[in-house]
Amino acid sequence: MSDLTKRPAEEKDRTAESAPQATAAAVDPRLLVREQGFAGYVSDFKRRIRGGELGSLPVVIGLIVIAVVFQLKNSSFLSADSLANIGVYTSGLGIMAVGIVFVLLLGEIDLSVGSVAGVGAAVWAVLSVTHGVNDVLAVLIAVAAGAVIGTLHGFFFAKVGVPAFVVTLAGFLGWSGLQIWMMGKEGSINTPSGSIVENLTGYYFEDKAAAYGLALIAVLAYAGSLLLDAKRRKAAALPSRPLSEILLRTAVVAVLAVAVAFVLNEPAGARGLPLALVLFLAVLVIADFVVRRTTYGRQIFAVGGNAEAARRAGINVNKIRITVFAISGMLAAFGGLFIASLSGGATKNLGSGNTLMNVIAAAVIGGTSLFGGRGKIWSALLGMLVIQSIQQGLNLLGMASEIQYMITGAVLLAAVVIDSVSRRTQKTAGRT
């Protein structure tokens, strides 16, 4: 009897001794990394690289290489005028690329964005210029038309079951025909002087306070978001970034923001802050908030990762799919107005050529996966910066357009290869 009574007590002691070890093993590894300081981040970075979690690292390295190479070839590449042009020309296609990022997160594709951009520009031009509708109202109707078109694509995809590739390919052809019909026999409508659409890419904030003020707002907003996130995680007893890391991250962002503002403001020939860049950044911030900070955004990732699992979890998969394509159409039409502003008016060919390829390439090059469920809204910015920087640099060197196409195609292929290898490596490491 004594042996029988001792065994439970001994088992309890062993359980009590092993409990702290089990608790320690369950600690979030991110907490351990942050407790180790800088050395912990270095080891964690190496672990992520070995596990295939590259993030935006290839794109950032690519941008640095592009800037160094073209600056060595032509000292005007990093001039104020050149950087302003990159910012302006990036904006319209970048806004369209944001919509494509939403679609790619679902693991789908939208081949109609170029023709939808053309229809949006045509709707605005016909209403505002031909029929004298209020300029603001015409812009809103044009953007709304893009949203309706996207909703129609989403309906056929989600409700009827037609593959997104087929639906949007049919849209690419059909909406191109509508665009040509709307533009009439002349085929083009010039942008009126002083109109909203002309100012989208033609207006610059000459006051230096605008660029520096936007830089200050960006830095404060970034620091505020980090502090708020840390506070919320601490309240939930979750690992959070220490104050030292928050200060370091904020300092890096501040240096970059002030440097851009300085280049746009100070050198000879600087025109100030482009309105197009401000609008593009506003779209990025809003879309990023929706994707990362709302239930709707998390549902997009869930559907893109595994639609059947998302459906069983109670997510309205059809609703997510339809609204995502509506967002893509809306942003495509909005981006089309920027293209019309740059080209001096709406034409029957607006949105054709390499527009579609550049938009999709920007999202993929920026780091959004073609396989769905992985990516960031800021991919649109990074990808478009890569594409436009290459084009700007080659233009300064006097290279032909076919060289630009070949280099952009090579960069796109490299991005997809990196994405595929990264995903395979993560599966091998057991991280997916």
Side-chain angles (χ1 to χ4, degrees):
M1 292 294 293
S2 60
D3 292 338
L4 294 175
T5 55
K6 286 180 180 180
R7 285 177 184 175
E10 291 176 355
E11 291 177 358
K12 288 181 181 180
D13 293 339
R14 286 196 297 269
T15 302
E17 291 175 359
S18 61
Q21 297 177 358
T23 305
V27 174
D28 192 318
R30 291 173 296 179
L31 180 59
L32 298 177
V33 167
R34 286 162 182 165
E35 287 179 349
Q36 294 170 7
F38 182 75
Y41 282 101
V42 172
S43 62
D44 184 59
F45 175 76
K46 293 179 180 178
R47 178 188 62 81
R48 288 174 178 271
I49 296 298
R50 288 193 298 268
E53 300 178 52
L54 301 179
S56 301
L57 181 62
V59 190
V60 174
I61 294 176
L63 280 172
I64 294 174
V65 171
I66 290 170
V68 171
V69 170
F70 283 123
Q71 181 65 17
L72 292 175
K73 293 289 185 179
N74 190 315
S75 59
S76 299
F77 179 76
L78 294 179
S79 66
D81 188 60
S82 176
L83 292 180
N85 285 336
I86 291 174
V88 170
Y89 280 88
T90 292
S91 300
L93 294 179
I95 289 173
M96 297 170 64
V98 171
I100 288 294
V101 170
F102 273 91
V103 176
L104 290 180
L105 289 176
L106 288 182
E108 303 298 336
I109 194 67
D110 187 350
L111 300 177
S112 68
V113 288
S115 56
V116 174
V119 169
V123 168
W124 165 80
V126 170
L127 290 177
S128 179
V129 181
T130 305
H131 296 288
V133 176
N134 178 269
D135 206 18
V136 176
L137 180 60
V139 168
L140 294 177
I141 293 175
V143 174
V148 171
I149 291 173
T151 302
L152 188 62
H153 293 162
F155 172 81
F156 278 103
F157 167 54
K159 294 289 189 179
V160 182
V162 183
F165 179 90
V166 177
V167 172
T168 56
L169 179 60
F172 169 76
L173 299 172
W175 304 123
S176 295
L178 176 62
Q179 174 188 357
I180 295 172
W181 176 78
M182 291 181 65
M183 296 309 300
K185 294 181 179 180
E186 294 185 0
S188 64
I189 299 176
N190 294 331
T191 305
S193 177
S195 65
I196 291 178
V197 170
E198 183 192 49
N199 288 332
L200 285 178
T201 59
Y203 185 82
Y204 290 76
F205 296 95
E206 297 180 357
D207 191 344
K208 295 181 179 181
Y212 288 119
L214 181 62
L216 178 61
I217 292 173
V219 172
L220 292 178
Y222 180 71
S225 66
L226 292 181
L227 291 171
L228 180 61
D229 181 66
K231 180 180 179 180
R232 288 164 54 185
R233 296 184 71 84
K234 285 181 179 178
L238 295 173
S240 60
R241 291 189 176 93
L243 182 60
S244 58
E245 180 186 346
I246 293 176
L247 293 176
L248 178 60
R249 287 173 173 264
T250 303
V252 172
V253 172
V255 169
L256 293 175
V258 172
V260 172
F262 177 84
V263 172
L264 292 175
N265 275 337
E266 304 300 339
R271 290 174 287 177
L273 177 66
L275 173 63
L277 184 58
V278 176
L279 295 175
F280 181 27
L281 291 176
V283 171
L284 285 169
V285 170
I286 294 172
D288 180 67
F289 176 82
V290 170
V291 168
R292 293 197 306 115
R293 299 294 184 182
T294 66
T295 301
Y296 174 74
R298 290 190 289 272
Q299 290 175 346
I300 292 176
F301 280 101
V303 174
N306 190 320
E308 183 57 32
R311 183 180 287 108
R312 293 181 180 182
I315 296 174
N316 189 334
V317 174
N318 289 340
K319 174 186 173 183
I320 296 299
R321 287 172 168 171
I322 291 173
T323 53
V324 163
F325 276 92
I327 291 172
S328 178
M330 177 184 68
L331 293 178
F334 189 35
L337 299 179
F338 283 77
I339 299 175
S341 178
L342 285 170
S343 60
T347 67
K348 63 181 181 181
N349 296 320
L350 190 148
S352 60
N354 62 340
T355 300
L356 172 63
M357 292 300 101
N358 278 340
V359 170
I360 296 177
V364 176
I365 291 171
T368 301
S369 175
L370 284 169
F371 303 101
R374 188 176 65 180
K376 296 180 180 180
I377 292 297
W378 292 92
S379 300
L381 173 62
L382 294 174
M384 279 311 306
L385 283 177
V386 169
I387 293 175
Q388 194 55 50
S389 295
I390 292 173
Q391 293 181 356
Q392 178 73 6
L394 293 177
N395 286 335
L396 290 175
L397 297 178
M399 294 289 186
S401 59
E402 55 266 27
I403 303 298
Q404 298 180 16
Y405 293 157
M406 287 188 286
I407 293 179
T408 303
V411 173
L412 173 60
L413 177 61
V416 176
V417 169
I418 290 173
D419 180 39
S420 300
V421 173
S422 173
R423 181 174 287 268
R424 190 180 308 132
T425 305
Q426 288 187 44
K427 285 184 178 179
T428 304
R431 299 190 181 282
T432 58

